[in-house]
Amino acid sequence: MSPWEPDQKQNIIIDKIRELNAPILTTNFDDLIAKSSNLEFHKTEKKGFTDFYPWSCYHSDRNLENPTDGFGIWYPNGMVKYHRSIKLGLSQYMGNVERARKMIHSNYEEIAFTGKNQNNWIGQKTWLHILFNKSLFILGLGLEENEVFLRWLLIERAKYFQRFPERKKLGWYITTRNESDKNYNGKKFFLESVGIKVIEVENYDIQYKLIWN
């Protein structure tokens, strides 16, 4: 991935998100977004860092005290800077699940989800804090059946909001309309069941260009 160069077309989207001062969670491993926007590498904390799970690492044009504080690029499935962090298959996704489960449910209080909007829970300096404390706009993500880590996280997020409805955040998944695909219909059912509204558009130009202008 090192020789790859960014396609400036993506900056239509990146610049708009940067303007909104919102964080980005990307399942890509490469650093093309960071290169295209001249972003620097940062960590929210160094204590307990492991290159297998660099979940406190991000690219941004600023230092962030907390992941929800502003614009930054975060890498749930790993990043090219730490090659051992890259997750590619089911067994590795399950490793992510186990890692996240220990952080989300580290003790009885966490099992009850009481701390996810607090500044003292164990995942507060990682991208997990974004997942539980920000609305999600999902773009360009297949979210197929084998992506068990991301699906599990959305289920945990929905369970948290069910227990604390006053903390509920919104969620949207934008995609081209494809109702003839049985897998698509199953995906739509899953997303709606975890509180994510599916927005269907006619073509990719709308999805990746027109709505961002």
Side-chain angles (χ1 to χ4, degrees):
M1 298 180 185
S2 298
W4 291 5
E5 291 298 328
D7 180 355
Q8 297 301 321
K9 293 180 181 179
Q10 69 180 355
N11 282 19
I12 296 174
I13 299 174
I14 303 304
D15 289 346
K16 177 61 70 173
I17 297 174
R18 195 173 187 175
E19 181 182 319
L20 294 170
N21 199 30
I24 295 175
L25 300 176
T26 178
T27 55
N28 292 344
F29 315 122
D30 59 70
D31 56 0
L32 297 184
I33 296 177
K35 287 180 178 178
S36 69
S37 301
N38 296 316
L39 305 178
E40 296 181 349
F41 176 79
H42 300 273
K43 290 180 184 176
T44 52
E45 63 177 355
K46 296 180 180 179
K47 182 180 179 181
F49 174 78
T50 168
D51 65 338
F52 276 102
Y53 301 101
W55 292 358
S56 60
C57 299
Y58 64 99
H59 286 98
S60 184
D61 54 3
R62 71 201 78 171
N63 283 307
L64 300 173
E65 181 66 24
N66 296 309
T68 54
D69 284 350
F71 173 74
I73 315 297
W74 301 81
Y75 304 86
N77 281 345
M79 57 196 308
V80 69
K81 181 179 177 68
Y82 301 111
H83 68 274
R84 297 199 303 174
S85 71
I86 294 176
K87 306 299 186 290
L88 294 171
L90 180 59
S91 62
Q92 293 175 325
Y93 291 154
M94 292 307 297
N96 274 357
V97 169
E98 183 62 17
R99 174 78 172 185
R101 187 190 64 79
K102 290 179 179 178
M103 299 176 78
I104 295 170
H105 301 302
S106 60
N107 55 44
Y108 179 79
E109 180 182 1
E110 305 303 340
I111 290 173
F113 285 114
T114 56
K116 297 301 170 291
N117 70 336
Q118 304 298 318
N119 290 334
N120 57 357
W121 80 283
I122 194 171
Q124 188 260 338
K125 293 292 186 178
T126 74
W127 56 264
L128 286 171
H129 198 64
I130 297 170
L131 189 89
F132 287 103
N133 293 281
K134 286 284 191 179
S135 294
L136 297 180
F137 182 79
I138 304 173
L139 171 72
L141 181 64
L143 205 63
E144 305 299 341
E145 289 80 356
N146 64 331
E147 296 184 72
V148 293
F149 180 43
L150 299 179
R151 285 177 171 247
W152 178 81
L153 285 171
L154 291 177
I155 292 171
E156 292 294 298
R157 184 176 187 265
K159 287 163 58 180
Y160 173 57
F161 293 152
Q162 185 177 26
R163 186 175 181 89
F164 298 101
E166 72 279 5
R167 301 178 189 174
K168 185 176 182 180
K169 303 297 181 182
L170 301 176
W172 307 269
Y173 180 89
I174 187 167
T175 183
T176 53
R177 187 175 292 113
N178 189 7
E179 294 180 352
S180 63
D181 184 348
K182 292 183 179 179
N183 291 332
Y184 170 79
N185 290 329
K187 183 193 304 182
K188 182 178 179 181
F189 175 80
F190 167 75
L191 287 166
E192 291 176 343
S193 72
V194 294
I196 305 295
K197 182 179 180 180
V198 178
I199 302 172
E200 299 172 318
V201 296
E202 295 295 332
N203 54 60
Y204 288 111
D205 276 347
I206 297 173
Q207 186 173 343
Y208 292 105
K209 186 187 303 183
L210 297 181
I211 67 171
W212 302 97
N213 290 328

